[in-house]
Amino acid sequence: MAKKQFKAESKRLLEMMINSIYSQREVFLRELISNSSDAIDKLYYKALTDDSLSFNKDDYYIKIVPNKEARTLTISDTGIGMTKEELETNLGTIAKSGSLAFKKENEAKDGFDIIGQFGVGFYAAFMVADVVTVVSRALGSDEAYKWESKGADGYTIVPTEKETVGTDIILTIKENTEEDNYDEYLEEYRIKSIVKKYSDFIRYPIKMDVTESKLKEGSEDEYESVVEEKVINSMVPIWKKNKNELSTEDYENFYQEKHYGFDKPLTHLHINVDGTIRYNAILFVPENIPFDYYSEKYEKGLELYSNGVLIMNKCADLLPDYFSFVKGMVDSEDLSLNISREMLQHDRQLKVIAKNLNKKIKNELQSLLKNDREKYETFFKSFGRQLKFGAYSDFGANKEVLQDLLLFYSSKEKKLVSLDEYVSRMPEDQKFIYYATGESIDRIEKMPQTEMVADKGYEILYFTEDIDEFAIKMIMNYKEKEFKSVSSGDLGIEESESQEKSETKQNEHKELFEQMKKVLVDHVKDVRLSKRLKSHPVCLASEGDITIEMEKVLRAMPDNKDVKATKILEINPNHEVFEVLKDAFTKDQDKLELYTKLLYNQALLIEGLPIEDPVAFTNDMCKVMV
Ligand code: ADP
Ligand code: MG
């Protein structure tokens, strides 16, 4: 029998293939099972168009048989089989896909899910096998042929016997080496787990004899090993099922089976799109924060399937960072895959899908906010921070998507409110959306700066997270209302008569303030009469883009030690302290200096800013005492 040579550069190509196309060896099984599935599909398709053939679904299956003694792994199918010529062209020519040709010949037939297209998957078998033997009998033929190859060396084809139509692929598994374990591909549990991982949703049953330990009949404690043929794939992908037939429990089971998380999903989304790009997706929002979520280790992404075959474990491009908490999968028949089927060739389809999913996730969250507030708040407590980061990053490019999903604690409602809720109940004379920043709700409630705004009856949003104010700065305004910190220099509140009076008062005491300003010349830009204080003697306000709270956050980061807010010391003219200051100004300049410093340091303390010179501060305190 004459050995035939692979055509053209086949030898080199084969070697390259075997060693470099796939990142994981275990995918050889995915490739062979996909081929078997295609072969059965073709038979099914033929039966649809040829009345003389009947297709009884139960007769069509894939069977895997590991044999440790013989060191073989056999993958058999009851598919269409191959003639001698087909064995030669399809398996003797690398990058020749009989399946692609079949698809082209039978074009425009819907619901036809042939997987193969590149004509290389079969050779993945050589990643784990020294010898690959294919025994096949084609539909409508009495003859069977055996194709055999040891890889780059070439192949042989000889006649053989086979009782039924279909194909057996027999792999003689390689011996273990020091680095590599090949024995595992003969282990039941390993085969089962590879099938589960990549081929769980192949539409035909994948059968295997599975050994289980069972109670001996008539005995209570004696077990015996029982071998039983089992179907080891789930076959029907849940995402192809009708939504109406599925219960929440089904989705929860899927979430658990897929190990998307240890918790239960808070909500799920089942999407079937039949547009220019067809895809199905099931997405979940987890209930709990994954333990590594806010760390660099966390990898976002969705599982990507092509025709029910897993292509990518975590396709990051399907999710924007701000929705990185979403788990789930996408299956599409319209993806152009690269040759290893581990990556996409063009990301155009992917971009369309991603854009689409983005919209759907947003809508889902928004309807959750509207219809199930409690659930939404649970979600927001876990992932709200991520949404705020999203609003902040890329210079606010995503604010349109995210601003309606944000919640902040409200001074009035004493609970979380949305910006929409805030704006919709603003009194007519209120021009701004007011917020106060601080370490905790408790501390903000005690902030002197909130007095005036609260007194006006305006609602204040409490910002307790570092990111809050930064996110808001990027959003800039909501429904044409700008955001304003209660600590900002100008509060933008219509001035009442008494306040106008304070303007005159400011002028009356101009020299006093000038004097105080001189004392604090290195620390504040100005000293002024306050329009926002009611019961507290002093506070700090800021001017310009960087607020005091932002100064704190920024300075806590490396390289930002010099960031400073422009501060203004505000004095309450209605407080007794003001009288004391006036008195000192006329009678005792040293005292004025002492009091000014004390007041400034108190204002720092209230803000939660460090006192620049604590020793000097305590000495000053002592001076007041003695
Ligand atoms: P692809 O599946 O991308 O076409 P493969 O290298 O996996 O490429 O397979 C090459 C060709 O060999 C297939 O297109 C198909 O025509 C044929 N083939 C492979 N396995 C089988 C099988 N089990 N039954 C029938 N034909 C097969
Ligand atoms: Mg293939």
Side-chain angles (χ1 to χ4, degrees):
M1 146 188 87
K3 208 171 238 183
K4 303 201 178 179
Q5 292 299 303
F6 283 113
K7 299 205 179 83
E9 300 295 324
S10 298
K11 274 188 189 172
R12 272 193 50 222
L13 202 58
L14 191 61
E15 240 145 44
M16 237 167 61
M17 258 272 329
I18 294 166
N19 298 311
S20 62
I21 284 196
Y22 299 102
S23 59
Q24 272 167 313
R25 208 174 269 148
E26 65 190 21
V27 300
F28 82 91
L29 194 55
R30 174 190 76 182
E31 293 303 323
L32 297 180
I33 290 173
S34 296
N35 285 349
S36 293
S37 169
D38 283 353
I40 301 174
D41 257 358
K42 288 173 198 165
L43 193 64
Y44 173 59
Y45 179 76
K46 281 256 188 269
L48 279 182
T49 48
D50 182 345
D51 289 342
S52 67
L53 292 170
S54 68
F55 188 87
N56 180 4
K57 225 177 161 187
D58 295 340
D59 297 341
Y60 297 94
Y61 58 86
I62 297 158
K63 174 137 192 191
I64 303 179
V65 182
N67 181 334
K68 283 187 188 169
E69 286 74 52
R71 253 194 119 65
T72 58
L73 181 65
T74 304
I75 295 105
S76 306
D77 64 65
T78 56
I80 199 163
M82 281 176 276
T83 62
K84 186 176 179 217
E85 290 68 38
E86 282 166 341
L87 280 169
E88 178 122 15
T89 41
N90 294 335
L91 303 185
T93 323
I94 295 170
K96 164 92 188 167
S97 170
S99 292
L100 183 66
F102 188 93
K103 224 178 336 188
K104 282 191 173 150
E105 270 165 40
N106 301 288
E107 209 156 22
K109 299 297 183 305
D110 241 7
F112 193 56
D113 291 344
I114 291 254
I115 302 160
Q117 57 175 327
F118 294 117
V120 295
F122 170 78
Y123 304 99
F126 288 106
M127 292 195 291
V128 300
D130 289 323
V131 184
V132 177
T133 310
V134 180
V135 175
S136 196
R137 182 172 145 193
L139 177 70
S141 164
D142 306 330
E143 296 163 8
Y145 289 90
K146 182 164 98 175
W147 179 103
E148 193 162 79
S149 170
K150 289 184 177 160
D153 204 24
Y155 62 93
T156 56
I157 297 179
V158 294
T160 188
E161 299 285 310
K162 189 174 185 314
E163 270 181 32
T164 51
V165 170
T167 305
D168 302 331
I169 312 277
I170 304 140
L171 311 182
T172 307
I173 298 294
K174 290 185 185 180
E175 292 291 340
N176 281 351
T177 65
E178 248 167 60
E179 300 98 58
D180 298 308
N181 178 345
Y182 295 100
D183 284 358
E184 56 179 314
Y185 302 115
L186 296 165
E187 298 289 347
E188 257 173 59
Y189 77 92
R190 182 76 174 106
I191 295 166
K192 260 185 357 197
S193 85
I194 301 175
V195 171
K196 252 303 180 245
K197 181 169 175 189
Y198 296 101
S199 310
D200 201 29
F201 304 110
I202 289 291
R203 292 178 298 157
Y204 302 100
I206 302 171
K207 298 180 181 177
M208 188 163 80
D209 291 343
V210 176
T211 320
E212 269 170 23
S213 131
K214 279 195 176 160
L215 261 188
K216 249 190 182 161
E217 238 184 45
S219 160
E220 302 226 321
D221 51 5
E222 253 187 294
Y223 286 85
E224 60 183 348
S225 288
V226 180
V227 180
E228 236 180 295
E229 185 177 75
K230 292 239 156 110
V231 174
I232 56 174
N233 59 329
S234 329
M235 292 197 282
V236 182
I238 169 172
W239 58 86
K240 289 220 169 157
K241 286 189 189 162
N242 195 326
K243 272 178 252 188
N244 306 331
E245 288 166 24
L246 294 163
S247 65
T248 306
E249 212 189 341
D250 291 325
Y251 291 105
E252 283 175 3
N253 286 343
F254 181 64
Y255 183 85
Q256 245 124 48
E257 258 172 44
K258 282 277 163 195
H259 303 292
Y260 290 140
F262 298 106
D263 54 347
K264 275 191 177 173
L266 195 69
T267 179
H268 70 261
L269 254 163
H270 189 160
I271 305 165
N272 303 309
V273 173
D274 216 1
T276 35
I277 288 190
R278 287 163 296 177
Y279 71 89
N280 300 291
I282 295 182
L283 308 182
F284 296 98
V285 175
E287 184 165 45
N288 300 327
I289 311 177
F291 71 96
D292 58 350
Y293 186 62
Y294 287 110
S295 82
E296 288 195 354
K297 284 216 185 88
Y298 182 81
E299 266 183 82
K300 66 165 183 174
L302 300 175
E303 283 182 312
L304 186 63
Y305 289 81
S306 165
N307 279 322
V309 181
L310 183 70
I311 302 303
M312 248 169 149
N313 249 329
K314 283 207 169 150
C315 180
D317 292 342
L318 284 169
L319 290 175
D321 282 341
Y322 51 83
F323 288 152
S324 60
F325 47 84
V326 174
K327 304 275 182 189
M329 53 68 53
V330 174
D331 182 23
S332 176
E333 37 196 300
D334 295 337
L335 300 169
S336 4
L337 303 173
N338 80 346
I339 202 164
S340 66
R341 303 210 280 127
E342 289 170 6
M343 269 180 306
L344 300 170
Q345 217 162 16
H346 313 286
D347 57 3
R348 197 184 60 80
Q349 305 104 317
L350 205 64
K351 275 197 183 130
V352 176
I353 296 175
K355 207 172 144 197
N356 220 296
L357 292 178
N358 192 23
K359 230 186 270 165
K360 304 249 181 202
I361 297 168
K362 178 188 167 170
N363 291 345
E364 172 69 14
L365 290 175
Q366 209 153 14
S367 81
L368 203 61
L369 172 61
K370 207 169 134 212
N371 304 320
D372 194 343
R373 183 67 167 230
E374 202 181 316
K375 232 183 201 184
Y376 188 79
E377 287 188 18
T378 309
F379 153 75
F380 196 79
K381 275 177 194 136
S382 298
F383 302 110
R385 216 157 91 99
Q386 190 66 10
L387 299 184
K388 294 180 205 165
F389 274 117
Y392 169 71
S393 54
D394 301 323
F395 302 99
N398 303 306
K399 67 177 185 181
E400 291 302 326
V401 186
L402 298 172
Q403 59 191 6
D404 284 312
L405 298 176
L406 301 183
L407 297 180
F408 297 101
Y409 186 85
S410 152
S411 63
K412 268 196 169 169
E413 302 288 311
K414 306 285 179 209
K415 61 179 175 78
L416 295 172
V417 301
S418 70
L419 294 175
D420 187 48
E421 286 158 352
Y422 182 103
V423 169
S424 64
R425 54 173 172 252
M426 269 168 72
E428 212 155 301
D429 65 341
Q430 184 182 340
K431 295 196 204 100
F432 297 95
I433 301 173
Y434 291 102
Y435 67 86
T437 39
E439 233 157 75
S440 63
I441 290 168
D442 231 30
R443 277 191 83 151
I444 299 176
E445 299 234 275
K446 291 180 186 139
M447 269 172 66
Q449 290 94 328
T450 60
E451 285 188 320
M452 175 71 198
V453 181
D455 210 43
K456 265 281 193 184
Y458 297 164
E459 188 171 6
I460 303 171
L461 299 175
Y462 288 2
F463 288 0
T464 51
E465 282 191 299
D466 284 358
I467 185 67
D468 290 343
E469 199 171 16
F470 289 90
I472 282 305
K473 291 263 160 186
M474 285 302 169
I475 295 177
M476 287 196 302
N477 51 57
Y478 181 81
K479 300 214 165 143
E480 288 161 30
K481 305 284 181 195
E482 271 176 53
F483 293 90
K484 209 169 222 0
S485 162
V486 296
S487 307
S488 64
D490 172 20
L491 278 177
I493 291 177
E494 294 276 323
E495 301 202 346
S496 61
E497 246 177 87
S498 68
Q499 280 166 336
E500 268 164 36
K501 255 189 245 158
S502 80
E503 207 62 46
T504 17
K505 242 186 187 169
Q506 169 86 28
N507 288 332
E508 254 173 57
H509 302 288
K510 206 173 159 190
E511 281 151 26
L512 164 62
F513 293 128
E514 281 301 319
Q515 194 56 36
M516 291 176 79
K517 194 170 139 184
K518 257 185 218 158
V519 176
L520 299 173
V521 67
D522 294 331
H523 308 288
V524 301
K525 191 190 159 202
D526 206 359
V527 180
R528 276 186 214 153
L529 262 190
S530 180
K531 297 176 192 171
R532 80 187 87 220
L533 291 173
K534 273 183 67 199
S535 59
H536 288 75
V538 282
C539 74
L540 281 176
S542 64
E543 230 175 52
D545 281 341
I546 299 174
T547 63
I548 292 165
E549 213 45 44
M550 288 169 83
E551 169 184 316
K552 276 194 247 170
V553 177
L554 290 171
R555 290 182 71 155
M557 299 180 201
D559 305 329
N560 278 332
K561 294 280 175 264
D562 302 331
V563 173
K564 261 201 162 145
T566 311
K567 301 186 189 76
I568 290 153
L569 185 69
E570 292 194 352
I571 311 286
N572 182 352
N574 304 314
H575 197 280
E576 288 159 283
V577 160
F578 189 56
E579 300 305 317
V580 178
L581 286 171
K582 283 198 287 191
D583 200 47
F585 179 59
T586 48
K587 293 185 192 146
D588 186 344
Q589 289 294 319
D590 284 349
K591 222 172 213 172
L592 180 70
E593 185 178 336
L594 177 67
Y595 290 170
T596 302
K597 284 188 194 160
L598 277 174
L599 285 172
Y600 169 66
N601 281 324
Q602 286 179 20
L604 286 179
L605 280 176
I606 293 172
E607 278 309 319
L609 287 170
I611 288 184
E612 286 142 55
D613 188 345
V615 178
F617 174 66
T618 44
N619 285 342
D620 285 348
M621 285 291 283
C622 291
K623 274 189 212 160
V624 181
M625 289 176 174
V626 293

